[in-house]
């Protein structure tokens, strides 16, 4: 050890600075270069997991209370118009939720696919880091006979000793950071797995909610059809049958006449050029009720039907039969969601009972434009489009204009 006597005062100074041989081990080395991105990714992943759990809770809390809906509707049965308006409002609410849940399910399926890819990549990176750690540990095992301190004390002079000390410090820091990075990666992998499980749980919750809302929707629709049928059947045996049946038509007609009167007050240069209308319901299944006098399916009473009913699946397209200006796009208990278009020269078309409206009053439309979707809102017991044509203040046969 005589050869190293000159190092004693130097080592004493190093000890005073806290730079002992132990300083070069894992225990006291501070991670000065740990990836902030990795640490941020772990924190972000934990927040995403919490958000997924909250989303599941929100889904459970947002499922419609069918019993409460039905109870509210029962109270309104004495007033037909109020009842129809309320049940249509509830059906619309359920339809919107079903659409939202369907979108959420599609979104979650995409997120799960992304999360699975992310997990695969994270596992590959973990395996790569693990392999590097194994190589480093094997090297350290093979070099175990030479300690950091012996390496430093083997220096030939003071300058060489400082160089060796700096190198040893870098190796120790490298080993520590490698270990910490691996630990972070392992933590990240576990969090990705947990998030994947939460996303799958959210997906299942959304599917369950969708099924419940669809079942509630079918229940309300069946209840509406049953109640309307019962209402019409009840009035069949009374002397006021015809009055009751025509009241609905009179209500519709008065509203449309008001709209026509408002249009007459406005100076317009629009003119109908005599062209042929396109089919307003291209995906119709059948003509469920034609224009003209018919026997009412519930009462057997013969009455005038002022349009053509085209049965079609809910959500099927309703098109503008001809170009013009939308003068009304609204809801009332009798016509449900309806659209009225001015084609010029006192010629109008009306589209009733829609589930959705895609235009607003004042919009200019062209022949064949999408304006609404088939439904059964208002005084209706099944999905269909009621299509009417009015000329100079009176209903006319739609077949005279259809191609």
């Amino acid at each position: 050890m005589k050869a190293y006597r000159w190092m004693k005062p130097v080592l004493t100074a190093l000890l005073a600075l806290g730079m002992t041989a132990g300083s070069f081990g894992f225990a006291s080395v501070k991670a000065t270069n740990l990836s902030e991105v990795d640490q941020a990714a772990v924190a972000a992943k934990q927040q995403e997991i919490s958000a997924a759990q909250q989303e599941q809770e929100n889904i459970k809390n947002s499922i419609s209370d069918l019993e409460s809906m039905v109870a509210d509707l029962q109270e309104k049965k004495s007033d037909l118009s109020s009842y129809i308006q309320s049940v249509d409002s509830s059906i619309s609410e359920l339809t919107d939720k079903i659409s939202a849940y369907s979108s959420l399910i599609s979104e979650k399926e995409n997120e799960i696919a992304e999360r699975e890819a992310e997990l695969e990549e994270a596992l590959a990176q973990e395996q790569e880091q693990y392999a590097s750690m194994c190589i480093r540990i094997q090297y350290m095992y093979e070099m175990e006979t030479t300690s950091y301190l012996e390496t430093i004390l083997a220096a030939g002079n003071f300058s060489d000793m400082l160089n060796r000390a700096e190198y040893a410090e870098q190796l120790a820091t490298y080993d520590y950071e490698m270990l910490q990075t691996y630990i972070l990666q392992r933590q990240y992998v576990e969090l990705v797995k947990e998030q994947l499980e939460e996303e799958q749980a959210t997906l299942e919750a959304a599917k369950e909610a969708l099924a419940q809302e669809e079942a509630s929707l079918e229940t309300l629709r069946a209840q509406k059809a049953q109640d309307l049928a019962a209402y019409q059947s009840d009035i069949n045996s009374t002397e006021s049958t015809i009055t009751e049946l025509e009241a609905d038509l009179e209500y519709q007609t008065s509203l449309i006449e008001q709209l026509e009167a408002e249009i007459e007050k406005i100076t317009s240069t629009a003119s109908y050029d005599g062209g042929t209308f396109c089919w307003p319901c291209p995906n119709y299944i059948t003509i469920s009720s034609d224009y003209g006098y018919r026997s009412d399916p519930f009462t057997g009473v013969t009455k005038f039907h002022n349009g053509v009913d085209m049965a079609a699946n809910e959500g099927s397209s309703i098109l503008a039969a001809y170009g013009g200006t939308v003068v009304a796009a609204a809801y009332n208990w009798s016509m449900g969601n309806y659209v009225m278009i001015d084609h010029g020269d006192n010629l109008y078309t009306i589209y009733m009972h829609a589930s959705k409206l895609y235009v607003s009053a004042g919009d200019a439309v062209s022949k064949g434009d999408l304006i609404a979707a088939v439904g059964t809102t208002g005084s209706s017991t099944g999905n269909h489009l009621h299509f009417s044509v009015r000329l100079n203040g009176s209903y006319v046969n739609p077949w005279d204009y259809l191609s």
Side-chain angles (χ1 to χ4, degrees):
M1 293 292 294
K2 291 182 179 180
Y4 302 126
R5 287 178 182 174
W6 62 273
M7 293 185 180
K8 186 174 182 180
V10 175
L11 290 176
T12 301
L14 291 176
L15 285 171
L17 292 173
M19 295 178 61
T20 63
S23 299
F24 305 125
F26 290 149
S28 61
V29 175
K30 293 182 180 180
T32 57
N33 296 313
L34 283 178
S35 171
E36 294 180 0
V37 174
D38 288 343
Q39 292 172 330
V42 168
K45 194 60 62 182
Q46 291 170 330
Q47 292 179 351
E48 289 170 2
I49 290 171
S50 297
Q53 293 170 338
Q54 183 61 52
E55 191 171 25
Q56 293 168 39
E57 190 66 24
N58 292 341
I59 290 173
K60 294 176 183 177
N61 293 334
S62 66
I63 296 175
S64 302
D65 185 348
L66 179 61
E67 291 185 3
S68 176
M69 281 184 171
V70 172
D72 290 341
L73 291 172
Q74 294 301 318
E75 295 178 0
K76 297 180 174 67
K77 275 191 175 181
S78 59
D79 183 345
L80 182 62
S81 63
S82 177
Y83 170 75
I84 290 177
Q85 187 169 351
S86 296
V87 73
D88 281 345
S89 177
S90 296
I91 288 174
S92 178
E93 178 184 338
L94 290 173
T95 301
D96 289 342
K97 283 189 176 182
I98 287 171
S99 178
Y101 285 135
S102 296
S103 297
L104 178 61
I105 287 171
S106 178
E107 177 186 330
K108 287 303 167 189
E109 287 174 342
N110 291 334
E111 287 181 2
I112 286 173
E114 292 175 1
R115 206 67 60 227
E116 288 173 341
E118 182 182 7
L119 178 59
E120 184 177 347
E121 181 180 351
L123 285 169
Q125 188 172 353
E126 178 193 342
Q127 292 173 359
E128 182 180 342
Q129 291 176 342
Y130 179 74
S132 298
M133 286 284 293
C134 288
I135 293 172
R136 177 62 183 156
I137 291 170
Q138 181 180 357
Y139 174 77
M140 292 173 64
Y141 175 77
E142 293 172 351
M143 299 296 294
E144 66 178 353
T145 55
T146 304
S147 67
Y148 286 121
L149 183 59
E150 289 175 338
T151 299
I152 294 171
L153 294 180
N157 53 53
F158 179 69
S159 177
D160 187 23
M161 185 204 73
L162 289 179
N163 289 335
R164 289 171 181 252
E166 182 180 1
Y167 176 69
E169 178 74 16
Q170 291 174 351
L171 281 178
T173 301
Y174 170 78
D175 290 338
Y176 180 80
E177 290 183 355
M178 178 182 287
L179 177 62
Q180 290 299 96
T181 300
Y182 179 71
I183 291 172
L184 276 176
Q185 186 63 29
R186 282 290 306 150
Q187 184 180 2
Y188 186 78
V189 166
E190 293 305 315
L191 287 173
V192 173
K193 288 180 180 178
E194 183 179 352
Q195 185 182 17
L196 178 58
E197 292 173 357
E198 293 296 343
E199 295 291 0
Q200 289 171 332
T202 301
L203 175 62
E204 291 306 313
K207 287 182 177 180
E208 181 178 346
L210 175 62
Q212 290 188 41
E213 300 293 3
E214 288 177 334
S216 296
L217 178 62
E218 289 308 309
T219 298
L220 283 187
R221 282 178 173 164
Q223 187 68 47
K224 177 187 176 183
Q226 178 182 329
D227 291 339
L228 284 179
Y231 170 80
Q232 291 176 317
S233 179
D234 286 343
I235 67 173
N236 187 32
S237 59
T238 70
E239 293 180 357
S240 61
T241 297
I242 296 176
T243 303
E244 294 284 356
L245 293 174
E246 291 182 349
D248 186 13
L249 176 60
E250 290 175 1
Y251 173 74
Q252 294 179 10
T253 302
S254 65
L255 178 60
I256 290 170
E257 287 175 345
Q258 290 176 22
L259 291 170
E260 290 175 338
E262 292 296 323
I263 297 300
E264 288 178 3
K265 296 178 183 179
I266 303 173
T267 302
S268 173
T269 58
S271 178
Y272 172 56
D273 60 10
T276 303
F277 289 178
C278 73
W279 274 96
C281 188
N283 298 317
Y284 78 100
I285 298 171
T286 184
I287 301 300
S288 56
S289 186
D290 210 341
Y291 175 82
Y293 285 93
R294 67 172 183 174
S295 176
D296 184 85
F298 295 106
T299 67
V301 175
T302 298
K303 65 175 183 177
F304 182 74
H305 187 237
N306 63 23
V308 176
D309 286 351
M310 303 176 187
N313 293 326
E314 181 188 16
S316 299
S317 298
I318 297 177
L319 310 180
Y322 210 72
T325 301
V326 176
V327 294
Y331 172 89
N332 72 57
W333 71 268
S334 179
M335 293 186 286
N337 292 317
Y338 73 98
V339 176
M340 182 174 176
I341 300 177
D342 175 14
H343 302 288
D345 293 332
N346 294 317
L347 179 66
Y348 299 87
T349 52
I350 302 102
Y351 314 74
M352 302 182 191
H353 308 305
S355 59
K356 294 286 185 182
L357 300 179
Y358 301 132
V359 292
S360 302
D363 288 350
V365 295
S366 299
K367 177 180 178 180
D369 282 355
L370 179 65
I371 59 172
V374 171
T376 181
T377 55
S379 183
S380 166
T381 57
N383 290 310
H384 73 286
L385 164 65
H386 176 97
F387 176 66
S388 295
V389 179
R390 285 176 65 85
L391 178 64
N392 296 322
S394 299
Y395 287 103
V396 294
N397 194 337
W399 292 107
D400 295 338
Y401 295 86
L402 291 168
S403 56

